Amino acid sequence: MSDQDWLYWFRHSAPYINAHRGRVVVITLGGDALAHPNLTTIIHDIALLASLGVRLVVAFGARPQIRERLDEAGETSGYQGRLRVTTETQLPLVLEAVGRVRALLESHLSMGVANSPMHGAQIRVASGNWLTARPIGVVGGVDHGYTGRVRRVDATSIREQLSLGQVVLLPPLGYSATGDAFNLSHEEVAGEAAAALEADKLILFSGRSGIPDASGELMREISVARARELLGEGHLGEDDAAALDAAANACDRNVRRAHIISYGREGALLEELFTLDGLGTLVTDDDYEHIRFATPEDINGIQDLIQPLEARGILVSRPRDLIETEVDRFLVDERDGRVVGCAALYPYPSSAMMELACFAVSPDYQGGGRGDRLLAMAERHARAEGLGELFVLTTQTSHWFAERGFELVGADALPPEKRRDYDAGRNSRIFVKQL
């Protein structure tokens, strides 16, 4: 990277730094990630996030370490599906392996060697009995013993530690009211913690850079509904399925975004958080696009979006002062603080119609359904106001609107006040949709 590239990246990371400061981010580190040579750089990146004010929870796993300890003791590690069967004699060995992994993580987070990224970090780590668990019990005739499920997360205690600037470690262990310990899936721990804390993000480190489709192609962004479909199709490996299931469950429960990235790629965590598109698979809830009515803070973003289209004659020119006056009429589609789509709504109650104007989606995001979502929101708003028709004037996007149920009409179908302002010289085509 050249000096200019570095300066550009650093300056343009500022919005993301501001967006993540004070937010809760839950990160998973499975046992394979903890044994990978790239662990040191992941720890450096975690330290950087902590120094930038991100409130971090790290849910770690220990599957290979547990397997190794059981093998050393001559114990057979039984599985049913993705779940390890933990017998009473194996539980102490599981606790020992998890304890070693926790000590490893704490030691890495405590480093502060001069001339290293950890110098002066002074990270404080907290952990505790914040997970209440229950036994899985007998499934398919198999008693899972001391393998359990998360019953409750003590979100209040965790938030107290985060407010003190601590990095919270969550081991793959939970405890019952009777004092029993249970071996848990670290993916489930992370997902349940993220949901209980209403985390802004869940980051799941995986052995690959995201989730592949049936052909092996990386999927960059998928909805919760699509994630459920993929899990049902059965072509995913166990680790991919566990990560995707945790991501979907978290997004179903108020976590806005879950990211699945590779622990083997240096800088993957920073690239996912501090660039617009990241590099892994993003799992989102249905409301991720955050289509909402604009505020004055969106004016610059709206201008940046529509000015190239105005220059090409696709949109009617709107000076800034007009946008400022009418900003409350605009819907905006926001992604990571950037306006990537907009539409202005002008109601005509006497004619029971609403105009859809200044409709635009960034070229970088066309073809992903954003235009359809903007249109759906506009239709919903028109219905809420008791209006029965939506109309649009367009010069170059006639087919798009026609494919979505709009019908070509003449100028006499416009509301009288709009008809008076109709610019015949622009020769816009008029389309109306019955709601």
Side-chain angles (χ1 to χ4, degrees), residues 43 139 146 184 205 228 255-256 302 314 336 374 416 420:
I43 295 296
V139 179
Y146 287 86
L184 306 175
F205 276 105
R228 300 284 185 221
V255 177
R256 287 177 58 190
I302 293 171
I314 296 173
D336 285 337
L374 269 172
R420 288 193 294 268

Side-chain angles (χ1 to χ4, degrees), residues 33-64:
L34 293 169
H36 195 274
N38 198 42
L39 175 63
T40 300
T41 59
I42 293 175
I43 295 296
H44 292 167
D45 293 345
I46 288 174
L48 176 58
L49 293 180
S51 71
L52 292 173
V54 180
R55 299 186 175 190
L56 294 171
V57 177
V58 179
F60 66 90
R63 287 190 188 110

Side-chain angles (χ1 to χ4, degrees), residues 219-361:
M219 291 182 289
R220 299 301 303 275
E221 182 178 326
I222 58 177
S223 66
V224 170
R226 179 59 182 141
R228 300 284 185 221
E229 292 175 359
L230 289 167
L231 289 167
E233 290 169 4
H235 73 268
L236 297 178
E238 290 184 0
D239 289 344
D240 287 340
L244 187 58
D245 189 41
N249 287 336
C251 289
D252 256 344
R253 297 166 57 197
N254 298 321
V255 177
R256 287 177 58 190
R257 307 166 200 173
H259 308 251
I260 301 172
I261 59 177
S262 171
Y263 56 71
R265 173 160 175 162
E266 184 172 356
L269 179 59
L270 298 183
E271 192 167 348
E272 190 69 17
L273 291 179
F274 295 111
T275 62
L276 184 61
D277 292 313
L279 50 80
T281 295
L282 172 65
V283 182
T284 70
D285 64 358
D286 292 336
D287 294 326
Y288 164 71
E289 305 304 339
H290 292 283
I291 297 174
R292 55 174 173 77
F293 276 97
T295 67
E297 288 74 24
D298 298 309
I299 292 172
N300 286 340
I302 293 171
Q303 274 202 305
D304 290 343
L305 177 63
I306 67 175
Q307 281 178 344
L309 301 175
E310 292 173 348
R312 291 162 54 193
I314 296 173
L315 294 179
V316 174
S317 178
R318 280 177 171 77
R320 183 183 178 89
D321 57 354
L322 179 61
I323 297 174
E324 291 174 349
T325 302
E326 298 182 342
V327 68
D328 58 344
R329 296 187 181 278
F330 277 82
L331 291 172
V332 292
D333 181 357
E334 175 194 351
R335 172 157 183 178
D336 285 337
R338 176 186 172 191
V339 175
V340 298
C342 71
L345 306 179
Y346 298 92
Y348 294 87
S350 61
S351 301
M353 301 180 77
M354 177 173 282
E355 180 182 7
L356 178 66
C358 200
F359 190 92
V361 174

